[in-house]
Amino acid sequence: MEKRRRNKTTQKMENIWVVPSWNHLYTIVNNRPTLGKWGEIYKERVAGAALEWAMDYDWEPVSDRKVILRVWIFWNDAKSKDCHNTDKAWADALEGIIYKDDSQALIQYHDFQIDRQRPRIEIEPVVGGLIIVDKPNRKKVKCRNQIALDIYKIEGECEK
């Protein structure tokens, strides 16, 4: 995404390429995040690129399965950034093209690097498992090297 900023050396305004984050794309209106002008433009560009990719690879929108999105981010500079601040706008833009609803998306960040000449986000969609609507019966299994964050407290799920 193109952004304008002042060059520190020449003091002239210039266009630079950035990987937009949540802060670039959203504004707060009436205490609610709203997609701003930049966000609308970015979402349209992402949707256009995704539609072109889907047509090239005969991809049909997935409706009953999860879609794993393998993601690589190439930042324009070495400033510390959070990869998770990039995904809301592009995940929404992929709705109706890659999957029916962005709740089907399982985002996996594989790597981030710096590419000053061509900052970008690369996304590789992979069809995952079926979406199970009914709540599965949970078995009492010892937890090994994992953190279980359940919204509802389930007694006896992780024995020590």
Side-chain angles (χ1 to χ4, degrees), residues 22 24-28 33-42:
W22 193 95
H24 289 105
L25 304 175
Y26 289 86
T27 58
I28 304 297
T34 305
L35 206 57
K37 183 179 106 180
W38 265 61
E40 292 292 340
I41 293 168
Y42 179 70

Side-chain angles (χ1 to χ4, degrees), residues 19-101:
V19 172
S21 71
W22 193 95
N23 298 328
H24 289 105
L25 304 175
Y26 289 86
T27 58
I28 304 297
V29 177
N30 296 327
N31 292 328
R32 297 189 64 177
T34 305
L35 206 57
K37 183 179 106 180
W38 265 61
E40 292 292 340
I41 293 168
Y42 179 70
K43 196 171 170 181
E44 286 175 20
R45 287 183 182 181
V46 170
L51 187 58
E52 187 177 313
W53 179 88
M55 291 187 334
D56 288 348
Y57 290 93
D58 295 324
W59 182 278
E60 294 292 326
V62 177
S63 61
D64 59 343
R65 300 183 85 81
K66 299 167 190 160
V67 177
I68 300 160
L69 299 172
R70 297 176 180 159
V71 180
W72 293 265
I73 297 181
F74 297 86
W75 303 110
N76 63 311
D77 59 29
K79 291 180 185 174
S80 179
K81 297 181 179 84
D82 185 355
C83 294
H84 298 281
N85 281 342
T86 67
D87 57 26
K88 177 65 177 149
W90 57 255
D92 286 345
L94 298 178
E95 279 187 2
I97 300 168
I98 303 298
Y99 38 72
K100 183 178 154 194
D101 186 87

